[in-house]
């Protein structure tokens, strides 16, 4: 079970994008892709078979998972995430303040 998953809202805690928030688009091992964070310009060739135009495309690059924290809307800041097993046997993610992330 990962601490950060696709669809989570995270905040960048270090690097050139420090303080930016966004939703996780994809988790790829120990790297995450966050919407509108760490944007890079990529020069692409046109590909008529895939109906893709060429030019300069701006898209998200990956960030190491250690450089982002899960955003807690109740505290309005990023927090560490741990795991807890409930009475019914489900394993859920919890913030360090004790709030359950997964409903």
């Amino acid at each position: 079970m990962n601490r950060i998953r696709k669809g989570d809202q995270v905040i960048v805690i270090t690097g050139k994008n420090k303080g930016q928030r966004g939703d996780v688009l994809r988790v790829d091992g120990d790297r995450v892709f966050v919407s509108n964070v760490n944007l890079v310009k990529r020069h692409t060739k046109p590909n008529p078979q895939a109906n893709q135009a060429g030019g300069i495309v701006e898209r998200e690059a990956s960030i190491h998972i250690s450089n982002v924290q899960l955003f807690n809307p109740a505290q309005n800041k990023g927090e560490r995430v741990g795991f807890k097993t409930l009475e019914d046997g489900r394993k859920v993610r919890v913030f360090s303040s004790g709030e359950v992330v997964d409903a």
Side-chain angles (χ1 to χ4, degrees), residues 87-101:
E87 297 83 32
D88 60 355
R90 288 188 303 145
K91 186 178 175 184
V92 294
R93 297 181 296 167
V94 291
F95 284 117
S96 56
S97 61
E99 301 170 48
V100 177
V101 178

Side-chain angles (χ1 to χ4, degrees), residues 62-73:
S62 66
I63 303 173
H64 197 271
I65 203 162
S66 67
N67 295 336
V68 296
Q69 273 187 337
L70 203 57
F71 183 75
N72 186 351

Side-chain angles (χ1 to χ4, degrees), residues 21-39:
R21 281 192 347 218
D23 294 327
V24 175
L25 301 172
R26 182 169 108 217
V27 179
D28 191 16
D30 61 351
R31 304 197 67 86
V32 292
F33 292 82
V34 183
S35 62
N36 296 322
V37 175
N38 198 23
L39 295 174

Side-chain angles (χ1 to χ4, degrees), residues 42-82:
R42 175 138 175 97
H43 295 71
T44 58
K45 279 186 168 180
N47 185 352
Q49 294 172 336
N51 201 15
Q52 182 182 15
I56 302 173
V57 179
E58 197 170 33
R59 67 178 193 181
E60 294 88 3
S62 66
I63 303 173
H64 197 271
I65 203 162
S66 67
N67 295 336
V68 296
Q69 273 187 337
L70 203 57
F71 183 75
N72 186 351
Q75 301 283 332
N76 203 26
K77 62 180 182 176
E79 274 195 59
R80 291 181 178 178
V81 178

